[in-house]
Amino acid sequence: MAQYLILIYEDEAGYAAGGEQVYKEVMDAHNRFAEQVGPALLGGNALRETNTATSIRGDVVTDGPFIESKEVLGGYYLVEARDLDHALELAKLCPARFGGVEVRPVMTFE
């Protein structure tokens, strides 16, 4: 089995405009995702808002994400899957109310 990272890209403005009810709906959707994926789910977390980020490009350190970011990385799941097709099936279950997801294989060193 291989490991894949499901990266969740979101638009923070959608959450800000939606308020507490939208947040609850999204959290409920993520809980359902975890139940659906079951033991294939190895881990994951939401990330704090972009205003808490610090970016480094070369020797330049700035607060917040790069200016050209339109969507922000909102969280991730680490899953175990037979192959990329299986990982994509799992990722299609992942809620991303205001954005989308990206699937990347995890490099392992043995």
Side-chain angles (χ1 to χ4, degrees):
M1 291 276 221
Q3 293 183 356
Y4 293 85
L5 198 59
I6 300 173
L7 302 166
I8 305 165
Y9 291 94
E10 296 282 15
D11 174 6
E12 289 180 338
Y15 287 106
E20 191 173 317
Q21 180 60 33
V22 167
Y23 181 78
K24 182 185 179 326
E25 290 170 6
V26 170
M27 290 300 104
D28 289 345
H30 282 283
N31 289 334
R32 284 190 302 276
F33 170 75
E35 289 173 7
Q36 289 174 308
V37 173
L41 181 60
L42 302 177
N45 279 303
L47 299 176
R48 297 212 179 264
E49 300 78 15
T50 55
N51 65 359
T52 66
T54 301
S55 299
I56 302 170
R57 189 170 277 174
D59 291 334
V60 178
V61 178
T62 58
D63 289 338
F66 296 126
I67 192 72
E68 58 272 8
S69 295
K70 291 186 174 48
E71 293 179 324
V72 296
L73 184 59
Y76 66 92
Y77 287 107
L78 178 62
V79 297
E80 191 169 54
R82 293 182 302 276
D83 54 28
L84 178 59
D85 288 336
H86 183 217
L88 293 173
E89 287 175 29
L90 298 175
K92 287 178 185 177
L93 301 172
C94 183
R97 182 173 185 145
F98 299 106
V101 299
E102 175 184 340
V103 177
R104 286 195 200 178
V106 174
M107 293 179 64
T108 56
F109 301 94
E110 296 178 28

